[in-house]
Amino acid sequence: AGGGGDDDDLIMADELELTLRCPLSMLRIKDPCRGKACNHAQCFDLMTFLEFAKRHFNWLCPLCSLPLEASDLRIDPFFNKVLGGVSEEVDRCVVTSTGEFRAVTKQDKKGGQAALGVSSAGAKRARSESCGGLDDAILAKAQRAGPPP
């Protein structure tokens, strides 16, 4: 181990596998959301989270457990493109560092390479643009769900 210039500490994945199902409901995500301070690419479903938070008084990110308020929630437009770019039957997809995404197929799970080839904008650019705030209608629903305890 050297001092300074080692690239060993920085590991960039060429591909990231995402589930298109909400971790709370296990249903397909409709409005992909995460907290503005969350560092993960994975999203959860906005309305499912709001219903869960209201019912259980739990305003923590279901993926990383960071505290959330309604004003912290962000819809991810890139994740929306992914959802729209694969069939409704697809549960998982892979996003590459160049922003291309494809469905994870049964063959992929067995170690094969065949998959749908659907591309989108660059992943880095899309990730940085994905933190736009909620629109007024969604924010109003979030506020009606109640504040965090």
Side-chain angles (χ1 to χ4, degrees), residues 30 45 88 98 116 131 143:
K30 293 179 183 170
D45 184 70
E88 288 287 324
T98 62
L116 299 176
C131 288
Q143 289 170 340

Side-chain angles (χ1 to χ4, degrees), residues 6-80:
D6 286 349
D7 289 332
D8 294 342
D9 294 338
L10 182 62
I11 298 173
M12 288 292 290
D14 289 336
E15 293 186 342
L16 176 65
E17 188 170 329
L18 300 173
T19 178
L20 305 182
R21 293 191 174 271
C22 177
L24 296 170
S25 67
M26 298 311 294
L27 299 174
R28 187 173 169 108
I29 295 170
K30 293 179 183 170
D31 297 308
C33 181
R34 75 174 144 265
K36 70 179 179 182
C38 294
N39 289 320
H40 48 80
Q42 183 64 54
C43 289
F44 50 87
D45 184 70
L46 173 65
M47 295 313 295
T48 300
F49 172 76
L50 293 174
E51 290 170 14
F52 179 85
K54 182 178 180 180
R55 234 181 288 147
H56 299 284
F57 303 104
N58 181 359
W59 285 78
L60 299 175
C61 174
L63 299 163
C64 68
S65 300
L66 282 178
L68 297 175
E69 295 183 15
S71 61
D72 294 332
L73 300 174
R74 301 291 185 259
I75 295 292
D76 186 332
F78 179 74
F79 205 101
N80 255 338

Side-chain angles (χ1 to χ4, degrees), residues 70-149:
S71 61
D72 294 332
L73 300 174
R74 301 291 185 259
I75 295 292
D76 186 332
F78 179 74
F79 205 101
N80 255 338
K81 287 179 186 179
V82 172
L83 288 168
V86 296
S87 76
E88 288 287 324
E89 292 79 34
V90 172
D91 289 336
R92 303 184 77 72
C93 75
V94 171
V95 179
T96 68
S97 61
T98 62
E100 294 179 358
F101 56 88
R102 60 182 166 80
V104 173
T105 65
K106 290 179 183 177
Q107 190 171 0
D108 282 330
K109 293 177 185 176
K110 293 177 184 175
Q113 296 297 318
L116 299 176
V118 183
S119 64
S120 185
K124 290 179 184 174
R125 183 172 55 85
R127 177 69 178 107
S128 67
E129 293 173 354
S130 70
C131 288
L134 300 176
D135 66 31
D136 292 337
I138 294 174
L139 186 55
K141 288 180 185 178
Q143 289 170 340
R144 282 195 301 271

